[in-house]
Amino acid sequence: MKLLLLCLGLTLVCAQEGGNHEVVTSNFDMSKASGEWYTVMVASDVRERIEENCNLRIYVEYIKELVSSSLLFKHYKGDNGECTKIYLIANPTEEKGVYSVACDGYNLFHIVEAVYSEYLVLCVLIFKNDKETQSWSCLIAASTSEGAMMPRPPGR
């Protein structure tokens, strides 16, 4: 159900653009995903983890592919009413297109779908205290007309 809502939201965000979209669902070119992004939706199988000031409630600002094929993420997270800037480096795993990062547990993520000039859909698996949590995020490119109108995270 959460995935359905995420897809619906993504459809609404991208509906104004119309036209021919080059949807990518495999063999992602992370250099094309580098840039400024805005988080528009987050879903999780543990709803409490995406509520206000919770650890999966993040606001991505940009993604940059590094020379080592790792990815640099700059994002913001609410912490006791304060907005905290966080930089993370995600390293490629042996599985193509899957990255790992140690942050509040061990995380694996991959892009599920992308139109590089418009949006990314990310799936994150979080392993912490012998529990697995799934999170899905929809990001839109800051260069789109919708992205230009997006508010920034509170407290930033």
Side-chain angles (χ1 to χ4, degrees), residues 76-88:
Y76 294 84
K77 179 170 119 174
D79 188 19
N80 295 324
E82 296 290 320
C83 195
T84 306
K85 181 181 359 179
I86 299 171
Y87 292 92
L88 293 174

Side-chain angles (χ1 to χ4, degrees), residues 104-117:
D104 198 29
Y106 177 74
N107 303 276
L108 291 173
F109 78 89
H110 67 279
I111 297 176
V112 176
E113 182 175 300
V115 173
Y116 298 116
S117 62

Side-chain angles (χ1 to χ4, degrees), residues 22-34 37 63 65 69 71 92 95-99 109-117 119-123 136:
E22 294 183 28
V23 178
V24 181
T25 57
S26 62
N27 299 320
F28 295 99
D29 181 351
M30 295 313 290
S31 67
K32 292 182 180 180
S34 292
W37 296 93
I63 301 169
E65 183 180 37
S69 296
L71 300 176
E95 187 177 346
K96 185 175 170 118
V98 177
Y99 292 82
F109 78 89
H110 67 279
I111 297 176
V112 176
E113 182 175 300
V115 173
Y116 298 116
S117 62
Y119 68 87
L120 300 175
V121 177
L122 303 175
C123 176
W136 293 72

Side-chain angles (χ1 to χ4, degrees), residues 1-151:
M1 183 62 173
K2 293 173 188 174
L3 179 58
L4 180 62
L5 289 174
L6 182 64
C7 290
L8 174 63
L10 177 60
T11 302
L12 294 173
V13 167
C14 297
Q16 290 182 344
E17 294 295 317
N20 184 16
H21 300 288
E22 294 183 28
V23 178
V24 181
T25 57
S26 62
N27 299 320
F28 295 99
D29 181 351
M30 295 313 290
S31 67
K32 292 182 180 180
S34 292
E36 193 171 350
W37 296 93
Y38 296 101
T39 304
V40 291
M41 269 188 229
V42 178
S44 175
D45 59 348
V46 181
R47 183 177 55 100
E48 295 78 22
R49 293 192 67 186
I50 60 172
E51 292 176 347
E52 197 71 31
N53 289 322
C54 291
N55 62 338
L56 293 182
R57 184 76 170 250
I58 63 168
Y59 302 92
V60 174
E61 183 170 326
Y62 73 75
I63 301 169
K64 180 179 181 182
E65 183 180 37
L66 303 175
V67 177
S68 63
S69 296
S70 295
L71 300 176
L72 172 66
F73 281 81
K74 178 182 178 185
H75 69 271
Y76 294 84
K77 179 170 119 174
D79 188 19
N80 295 324
E82 296 290 320
C83 195
T84 306
K85 181 181 359 179
I86 299 171
Y87 292 92
L88 293 174
I89 294 182
N91 297 305
T93 64
E94 291 180 6
E95 187 177 346
K96 185 175 170 118
V98 177
Y99 292 82
S100 68
V101 64
C103 176
D104 198 29
Y106 177 74
N107 303 276
L108 291 173
F109 78 89
H110 67 279
I111 297 176
V112 176
E113 182 175 300
V115 173
Y116 298 116
S117 62
E118 296 176 19
Y119 68 87
L120 300 175
V121 177
L122 303 175
C123 176
V124 184
L125 296 175
I126 302 106
F127 302 94
K128 183 178 180 182
N129 300 330
D130 296 325
K131 293 182 182 177
E132 180 181 325
T133 304
Q134 225 181 68
S135 175
W136 293 72
S137 298
C138 178
L139 312 176
I140 62 169
S143 60
T144 64
S145 57
E146 291 84 3
M149 298 184 310
M150 290 299 297

